Amino acid sequence: GDSVTQMEGPVTLSEEAFLTINCTYTATGYPSLFWYVQYPGEGLQLLLKATKADDKGSNKGFEATYRKETTSFHLEKGSVQVSDSAVYFCALSSGGSNYKLTFGKGTLLTVNP
Amino acid sequence: DTEVTQTPKHLVMGMTNKKSLKCEQHMGHRAMYWYKQKAKKPPELMFVYSYEKLSINESVPSRFSPECPNSSLLNLHLHALQPEDSALYLCASSSQDYSTDTQYFGPGTRLTVL
């Protein structure tokens, strides 16, 4: 079955540091890949997505590239802010009639001033 | 606009109460979802409605009863819940585009069962 593995953290960084959160996946076919962010006390927000190999998703300074050869979708940001403190979930969808999102366990990011 | 709204934001109920959670989207999406999320865990899928029909029930106890009155609304009726049902309940919707389906989540209802 489908699965997503992401570094669980917690990750603690200083403001303006470089961020990488690793995500690898196992899936049949050609899944779509997502990063969702959950700020404290809130629901999940779609941060970015990629639907085919070599696609790069980007939003709010965050980027992730769909690497089929390494089955990875690592999240990066060049300079984090305190406001980026949140839990980040990597997820995949195999599409078709499968409505299920397979989530990683989530990574708690804390950015200190 | 990619907004999914949920009411109420917080709910406290006793084990003998009956309450309902509501979810609404106006994006024309034809699939709607209920998830349960416990602290420090990813969301767990409970139910999926596709074109207003229940497509997936992930073996959820009958004390949770979903309802989809129309394509924009999704309810979750709660009855005789247990304290372990306390969690964040998230609603989501998607266009059901088979090639690039994306789920958009609401802000959630924080449920506490006493």
Side-chain angles (χ1 to χ4, degrees):
Chain A
D2 296 345
S3 67
V4 174
T5 302
Q6 65 178 105
M7 56 189 286
E8 292 185 30
V11 174
T12 302
L13 296 173
S14 298
E15 207 164 22
E16 299 184 4
F18 184 85
L19 169 71
T20 299
I21 301 177
N22 290 336
C23 173
T24 58
Y25 67 90
T26 302
T28 54
Y30 303 95
S32 294
L33 301 174
F34 307 88
W35 278 101
Y36 286 90
V37 59
Q38 187 171 32
Y39 298 102
E42 298 186 10
L44 271 68
Q45 296 179 25
L46 177 67
L47 182 58
L48 52 85
K49 68 177 184 181
T51 58
K52 60 183 188 295
D54 300 325
D55 267 2
K56 177 185 284 189
S58 62
N59 186 24
K60 299 181 181 179
F62 291 90
E63 293 183 339
T65 301
Y66 188 165
R67 301 285 189 200
K68 189 170 184 293
E69 63 276 14
T70 55
T71 62
S72 65
F73 193 54
H74 305 321
L75 183 68
E76 297 182 336
K77 186 176 186 183
S79 175
V80 294
Q81 305 300 311
V82 172
S83 57
D84 294 325
S85 298
V87 178
Y88 293 81
F89 291 99
C90 184
L92 72 82
S93 171
S94 293
S97 59
N98 180 359
Y99 304 107
K100 296 184 181 182
L101 269 179
T102 301
F103 286 95
K105 292 186 176 181
T107 301
L108 173 62
L109 170 66
T110 301
V111 180
N112 294 319
Chain B
D1 185 11
T2 55
E3 187 177 28
V4 176
T5 58
Q6 290 186 244
T7 56
K9 190 172 176 61
H10 299 279
L11 179 62
V12 179
M13 59 186 293
M15 290 189 285
T16 58
N17 291 158
K18 286 185 181 181
K19 297 286 185 183
S20 296
L21 309 185
K22 298 185 183 301
C23 173
E24 189 167 6
Q25 57 89 14
H26 293 288
M27 296 178 278
H29 288 172
R30 303 315 300 264
M32 296 187 76
Y33 311 75
W34 280 115
Y35 287 84
K36 174 183 179 179
Q37 186 182 26
K38 301 287 274 186
K40 301 185 188 299
K41 298 289 188 183
E44 297 175 4
L45 184 64
M46 300 174 71
F47 303 103
V48 180
Y49 273 83
S50 174
Y51 291 89
E52 301 165 44
K53 293 191 187 316
L54 184 63
S55 294
I56 295 176
N57 176 342
E58 291 286 280
S59 303
V60 179
S62 61
R63 58 186 184 269
F64 295 91
S65 176
E67 178 195 19
C68 189
N70 61 56
S71 60
S72 300
L73 292 173
L74 186 66
N75 298 322
L76 186 63
H77 303 297
L78 313 173
H79 175 55
L81 294 193
Q82 303 297 310
E84 59 264 29
D85 296 321
S86 298
L88 181 68
Y89 288 84
L90 294 164
C91 174
S93 70
S94 70
S95 62
Q96 211 169 315
D97 177 335
Y98 280 179
S99 61
T100 59
D101 206 19
T102 300
Q103 292 187 29
Y104 295 92
F105 286 80
T109 294
R110 177 78 59 188
L111 175 67
T112 302
V113 182
L114 301 177

Coordinates of all heavy atoms in Angstrom, one line a residue, chain A residues 30 32 34 36 38 41-46 49 51 89 93-101 103-106 108, chain B residues 9 33 35 37 40-43 45 48 50 55-56 58 88 90 96 98-107 110:
Chain A
Y30 N 1.3 6.8 -10.3 CA 1.9 8.1 -10.3 C 1.1 9.1 -9.4 O 0.2 9.7 -9.8 CB 1.9 8.7 -11.8 CG 2.6 7.8 -12.7 CD1 2.0 6.8 -13.5 CD2 4.0 7.8 -12.8 CE1 2.6 6.0 -14.3 CE2 4.7 7.0 -13.7 CZ 4.0 6.0 -14.4 OH 4.7 5.2 -15.2
S32 N 0.0 12.1 -6.8 CA 0.1 13.6 -6.6 C 0.7 13.7 -5.2 O 0.4 13.0 -4.3 CB -1.2 14.3 -6.7 OG -1.7 14.2 -8.0
F34 N 1.8 16.4 -1.9 CA 1.3 17.6 -1.2 C 2.1 17.9 0.1 O 2.6 17.0 0.7 CB -0.2 17.5 -0.8 CG -1.1 17.1 -1.9 CD1 -1.3 15.7 -2.1 CD2 -1.8 18.0 -2.6 CE1 -2.2 15.3 -3.2 CE2 -2.6 17.6 -3.6 CZ -2.8 16.3 -3.9
Y36 N 1.0 20.0 3.5 CA 0.1 20.8 4.2 C 0.7 21.3 5.5 O 1.6 20.7 6.0 CB -1.1 19.9 4.7 CG -2.1 19.5 3.6 CD1 -1.9 18.3 2.8 CD2 -3.2 20.3 3.3 CE1 -2.7 18.0 1.8 CE2 -4.1 19.9 2.3 CZ -3.8 18.8 1.5 OH -4.7 18.4 0.5
Q38 N -0.1 23.1 9.4 CA -1.1 23.3 10.4 C -0.6 24.2 11.5 O 0.3 23.8 12.2 CB -1.6 21.9 11.0 CG -2.7 22.0 12.0 CD -3.3 20.7 12.4 OE1 -2.5 19.7 12.5 NE2 -4.6 20.6 12.6
G41 N -3.7 25.3 16.8 CA -5.1 25.5 17.0 C -6.0 25.7 15.7 O -7.1 26.1 15.8
E42 N -5.4 25.4 14.6 CA -6.1 25.6 13.3 C -6.2 24.3 12.5 O -5.7 23.2 12.9 CB -5.4 26.6 12.4 CG -5.3 28.0 13.1 CD -4.8 29.1 12.2 OE1 -4.6 28.8 11.0 OE2 -4.5 30.2 12.7
G43 N -6.9 24.3 11.4 CA -7.0 23.2 10.5 C -5.8 23.1 9.6 O -4.8 23.9 9.7
L44 N -5.9 22.2 8.6 CA -4.8 22.0 7.6 C -4.9 23.0 6.5 O -6.0 23.2 5.9 CB -4.7 20.6 7.1 CG -3.9 19.6 7.9 CD1 -4.5 19.3 9.2 CD2 -3.7 18.3 7.1
Q45 N -3.8 23.6 6.1 CA -3.8 24.5 4.9 C -2.9 23.9 3.8 O -1.8 23.4 4.2 CB -3.3 25.9 5.2 CG -4.2 26.7 6.2 CD -3.6 28.0 6.5 OE1 -2.8 28.6 5.7 NE2 -3.9 28.6 7.6
L46 N -3.4 23.8 2.6 CA -2.5 23.4 1.5 C -1.4 24.4 1.3 O -1.6 25.6 1.1 CB -3.3 23.2 0.2 CG -2.5 22.8 -1.0 CD1 -2.0 21.4 -0.8 CD2 -3.4 22.9 -2.3
K49 N 1.8 21.8 -3.9 CA 1.6 20.5 -4.4 C 2.3 20.3 -5.8 O 2.7 21.3 -6.4 CB 0.1 20.2 -4.7 CG -0.5 21.0 -5.8 CD -2.0 20.7 -6.0 CE -2.6 21.4 -7.2 NZ -4.0 21.1 -7.4
T51 N 2.1 17.4 -9.2 CA 1.2 16.3 -9.7 C 2.0 15.4 -10.7 O 1.4 14.3 -11.0 CB 0.0 16.9 -10.5 OG1 0.5 17.7 -11.5 CG2 -0.9 17.7 -9.5
F89 N 2.9 18.6 7.2 CA 2.5 17.2 6.8 C 2.8 17.0 5.3 O 2.3 17.8 4.5 CB 1.0 16.9 7.1 CG 0.6 16.8 8.5 CD1 0.0 17.9 9.1 CD2 0.8 15.7 9.2 CE1 -0.3 17.8 10.5 CE2 0.5 15.6 10.6 CZ -0.1 16.7 11.2
S93 N -1.6 11.4 -2.8 CA -2.9 10.9 -3.3 C -2.6 10.1 -4.6 O -2.0 10.6 -5.5 CB -3.9 12.0 -3.6 OG -5.0 11.5 -4.2
S94 N -3.1 8.9 -4.6 CA -3.0 8.1 -5.8 C -4.0 8.4 -6.9 O -3.9 7.9 -8.0 CB -3.0 6.6 -5.5 OG -1.9 6.2 -4.7
G95 N -5.0 9.2 -6.5 CA -5.9 9.7 -7.5 C -6.9 8.6 -8.0 O -7.1 7.6 -7.3
G96 N -7.5 8.8 -9.2 CA -8.5 7.8 -9.7 C -9.6 7.8 -8.7 O -10.1 8.8 -8.2
S97 N -10.1 6.6 -8.4 CA -11.3 6.4 -7.5 C -10.8 6.3 -6.1 O -11.6 6.1 -5.2 CB -12.1 5.2 -7.9 OG -11.3 4.1 -7.9
N98 N -9.5 6.5 -5.9 CA -9.0 6.4 -4.5 C -9.0 7.8 -3.9 O -8.3 8.7 -4.3 CB -7.6 5.9 -4.5 CG -7.0 5.8 -3.1 OD1 -7.6 6.1 -2.1 ND2 -5.8 5.3 -3.0
Y99 N -9.9 8.1 -3.0 CA -10.1 9.4 -2.4 C -9.1 9.6 -1.3 O -9.1 10.7 -0.7 CB -11.5 9.6 -1.9 CG -12.5 9.4 -2.9 CD1 -13.3 8.2 -2.9 CD2 -12.7 10.3 -4.0 CE1 -14.3 8.0 -3.9 CE2 -13.7 10.1 -4.9 CZ -14.5 8.9 -4.9 OH -15.4 8.7 -5.8
K100 N -8.3 8.6 -0.9 CA -7.6 8.7 0.3 C -6.3 9.5 0.2 O -5.6 9.3 -0.8 CB -7.3 7.3 0.8 CG -8.5 6.5 1.2 CD -8.2 5.2 1.8 CE -9.4 4.4 2.1 NZ -9.1 3.1 2.8
L101 N -6.1 10.4 1.1 CA -4.8 11.0 1.3 C -4.0 10.2 2.3 O -4.5 9.9 3.4 CB -4.9 12.4 1.9 CG -5.1 13.6 0.9 CD1 -5.3 14.9 1.7 CD2 -3.9 13.7 0.0
F103 N -0.9 10.4 4.7 CA -0.1 11.4 5.4 C 1.1 10.8 6.0 O 1.1 9.7 6.5 CB -0.9 12.0 6.5 CG -2.0 13.0 6.1 CD1 -3.3 12.5 6.0 CD2 -1.7 14.3 5.8 CE1 -4.3 13.4 5.6 CE2 -2.7 15.2 5.5 CZ -4.1 14.7 5.3
G104 N 2.2 11.6 6.1 CA 3.3 11.3 6.9 C 2.9 11.7 8.4 O 1.8 12.2 8.6
K105 N 3.7 11.4 9.3 CA 3.4 11.6 10.7 C 3.4 13.1 11.1 O 3.0 13.4 12.2 CB 4.3 10.8 11.6 CG 4.1 9.3 11.5 CD 4.9 8.5 12.5 CE 4.6 7.0 12.3 NZ 5.3 6.2 13.3
G106 N 4.0 14.0 10.3 CA 4.1 15.4 10.6 C 5.4 15.8 11.3 O 6.0 15.0 12.0
L108 N 7.0 18.9 13.5 CA 6.8 20.2 14.2 C 8.1 21.1 14.0 O 9.2 20.7 14.4 CB 6.6 19.9 15.7 CG 6.6 21.2 16.6 CD1 5.4 22.1 16.3 CD2 6.5 20.7 18.1
Chain B
K9 N -16.9 26.1 16.2 CA -15.4 26.0 16.3 C -15.0 25.1 17.5 O -14.0 24.4 17.4 CB -14.8 27.4 16.5 CG -13.3 27.5 16.4 CD -12.8 28.9 16.4 CE -11.3 29.0 16.4 NZ -10.7 28.4 15.2
Y33 N -15.4 15.2 2.8 CA -14.7 14.2 3.7 C -14.8 14.7 5.2 O -14.8 15.9 5.5 CB -13.2 14.2 3.4 CG -12.8 14.0 2.0 CD1 -12.9 15.1 1.1 CD2 -12.3 12.8 1.5 CE1 -12.6 14.9 -0.3 CE2 -11.9 12.7 0.2 CZ -12.1 13.7 -0.7 OH -11.7 13.6 -2.0
Y35 N -12.6 13.9 8.7 CA -11.4 13.4 9.3 C -11.5 13.6 10.9 O -12.1 14.6 11.3 CB -10.2 14.1 8.8 CG -9.7 13.8 7.4 CD1 -10.3 14.4 6.3 CD2 -8.8 12.8 7.2 CE1 -9.9 14.2 5.0 CE2 -8.3 12.6 5.9 CZ -8.9 13.2 4.8 OH -8.5 13.0 3.5
Q37 N -8.7 14.1 14.0 CA -7.3 14.3 14.3 C -7.1 14.4 15.8 O -7.6 15.3 16.5 CB -6.8 15.5 13.6 CG -5.3 15.7 13.8 CD -4.7 17.0 13.2 OE1 -5.5 18.0 13.0 NE2 -3.5 17.0 12.8
K40 N -1.0 15.7 18.0 CA 0.3 15.3 17.6 C 0.3 14.1 16.6 O 1.2 13.4 16.4 CB 1.2 14.9 18.7 CG 1.5 16.0 19.7 CD 2.5 15.6 20.8 CE 2.6 16.6 21.9 NZ 3.0 18.0 21.4
K41 N -0.9 13.9 15.9 CA -1.1 12.9 14.9 C -1.6 13.5 13.6 O -2.2 14.5 13.6 CB -2.1 11.8 15.4 CG -1.7 11.1 16.7 CD -0.5 10.2 16.4 CE -0.2 9.4 17.7 NZ 0.9 8.5 17.5
P42 N -1.4 12.8 12.5 CA -2.0 13.2 11.2 C -3.5 12.9 11.3 O -4.0 12.1 12.1 CB -1.3 12.4 10.2 CG -0.8 11.2 10.9 CD -0.5 11.6 12.3
P43 N -4.3 13.6 10.4 CA -5.7 13.3 10.3 C -6.0 11.9 9.9 O -5.2 11.3 9.1 CB -6.2 14.3 9.3 CG -5.2 15.3 9.2 CD -3.9 14.7 9.5
L45 N -8.9 9.5 8.2 CA -10.1 9.5 7.4 C -11.3 8.8 8.1 O -11.1 7.7 8.6 CB -9.9 9.0 6.0 CG -11.1 9.0 5.0 CD1 -11.4 10.5 4.7 CD2 -10.7 8.2 3.7
V48 N -16.2 9.5 3.4 CA -16.1 10.2 2.1 C -17.5 10.2 1.5 O -18.1 9.1 1.3 CB -15.1 9.6 1.2 CG1 -15.0 10.4 -0.1 CG2 -13.7 9.5 1.8
S50 N -19.2 11.2 -2.2 CA -19.0 11.5 -3.6 C -20.3 11.7 -4.3 O -21.2 10.8 -4.2 CB -18.2 10.4 -4.2 OG -18.1 10.6 -5.6
S55 N -19.4 7.1 0.0 CA -18.5 6.2 -0.7 C -17.6 5.4 0.2 O -17.3 4.3 -0.2 CB -17.6 7.0 -1.7 OG -18.4 7.6 -2.7
I56 N -17.2 6.0 1.2 CA -16.2 5.3 2.1 C -16.6 5.5 3.6 O -16.9 6.7 4.0 CB -14.8 5.8 1.9 CG1 -14.3 5.5 0.5 CG2 -13.8 5.3 3.0 CD1 -12.9 6.0 0.2
E58 N -14.8 4.3 7.0 CA -13.6 3.7 7.5 C -13.9 2.9 8.8 O -13.2 3.1 9.8 CB -12.4 4.6 7.6 CG -11.9 5.2 6.3 CD -11.1 4.2 5.6 OE1 -9.9 4.0 5.9 OE2 -11.6 3.6 4.6
L88 N -10.0 16.9 17.3 CA -10.3 17.9 16.3 C -10.9 17.2 15.1 O -10.3 16.3 14.6 CB -9.0 18.6 15.9 CG -9.2 19.8 14.8 CD1 -9.9 21.0 15.4 CD2 -7.8 20.2 14.3
L90 N -12.1 17.5 11.3 CA -11.8 18.3 10.1 C -12.7 17.8 9.0 O -12.9 16.6 8.8 CB -10.4 18.1 9.7 CG -9.3 18.7 10.7 CD1 -8.0 18.1 10.4 CD2 -9.3 20.2 10.7
Q96 N -12.8 16.2 -7.2 CA -12.9 14.9 -7.7 C -12.4 14.8 -9.1 O -12.8 14.0 -9.9 CB -14.3 14.3 -7.6 CG -14.3 12.8 -7.4 CD -15.7 12.3 -7.0 OE1 -16.4 12.9 -6.2 NE2 -16.1 11.2 -7.6
Y98 N -9.9 13.3 -11.3 CA -9.2 12.1 -11.1 C -7.7 12.2 -11.2 O -6.9 11.5 -10.6 CB -9.7 11.0 -12.1 CG -11.0 10.4 -11.6 CD1 -11.6 9.4 -12.4 CD2 -11.6 10.7 -10.4 CE1 -12.8 8.8 -12.0 CE2 -12.8 10.1 -10.0 CZ -13.4 9.2 -10.8 OH -14.5 8.6 -10.5
S99 N -7.3 13.2 -12.0 CA -5.8 13.3 -12.3 C -5.1 14.1 -11.3 O -3.9 13.8 -10.9 CB -5.6 13.8 -13.7 OG -6.1 15.1 -13.8
T100 N -5.7 15.1 -10.7 CA -5.0 16.0 -9.8 C -5.8 16.5 -8.7 O -5.9 17.6 -8.3 CB -4.5 17.3 -10.6 OG1 -5.7 18.0 -11.1 CG2 -3.6 17.0 -11.7
D101 N -6.6 15.5 -8.1 CA -7.5 15.9 -7.0 C -6.8 16.5 -5.8 O -5.8 15.9 -5.4 CB -8.3 14.7 -6.6 CG -9.7 15.1 -6.0 OD1 -10.1 16.2 -6.3 OD2 -10.3 14.3 -5.4
T102 N -7.2 17.6 -5.3 CA -6.6 18.2 -4.1 C -7.7 18.4 -3.1 O -8.8 19.0 -3.4 CB -6.0 19.6 -4.6 OG1 -5.1 19.4 -5.6 CG2 -5.4 20.3 -3.4
Q103 N -7.4 18.0 -1.9 CA -8.3 18.2 -0.8 C -8.1 19.5 -0.1 O -6.9 19.8 0.3 CB -8.3 17.1 0.2 CG -8.8 15.8 -0.4 CD -8.9 14.6 0.6 OE1 -9.1 14.9 1.8 NE2 -8.7 13.4 0.1
Y104 N -9.1 20.3 0.2 CA -9.0 21.6 0.9 C -9.8 21.4 2.2 O -10.9 20.9 2.3 CB -9.6 22.7 0.1 CG -8.9 23.0 -1.2 CD1 -9.2 22.4 -2.4 CD2 -7.8 23.8 -1.2 CE1 -8.5 22.6 -3.5 CE2 -7.0 24.1 -2.3 CZ -7.4 23.5 -3.5 OH -6.7 23.7 -4.6
F105 N -9.1 21.8 3.3 CA -9.6 21.5 4.6 C -10.2 22.8 5.3 O -9.8 23.9 5.0 CB -8.5 21.0 5.6 CG -8.0 19.6 5.3 CD1 -7.2 19.3 4.2 CD2 -8.5 18.6 6.1 CE1 -6.8 18.0 4.0 CE2 -8.1 17.3 5.8 CZ -7.2 17.0 4.8
G106 N -11.2 22.5 6.1 CA -11.7 23.6 7.0 C -10.9 23.8 8.2 O -9.9 23.0 8.5
P107 N -11.3 24.7 9.1 CA -10.5 25.0 10.3 C -10.7 24.0 11.4 O -10.0 24.0 12.4 CB -11.1 26.4 10.7 CG -12.4 26.5 10.1 CD -12.4 25.7 8.9
R110 N -13.2 21.7 17.4 CA -12.5 21.0 18.6 C -13.6 20.5 19.5 O -14.4 21.2 20.1 CB -11.7 22.1 19.3 CG -11.0 21.5 20.6 CD -9.8 20.7 20.3 NE -8.8 21.5 19.5 CZ -7.7 20.9 19.0 NH1 -7.5 19.6 19.2 NH2 -6.8 21.6 18.3

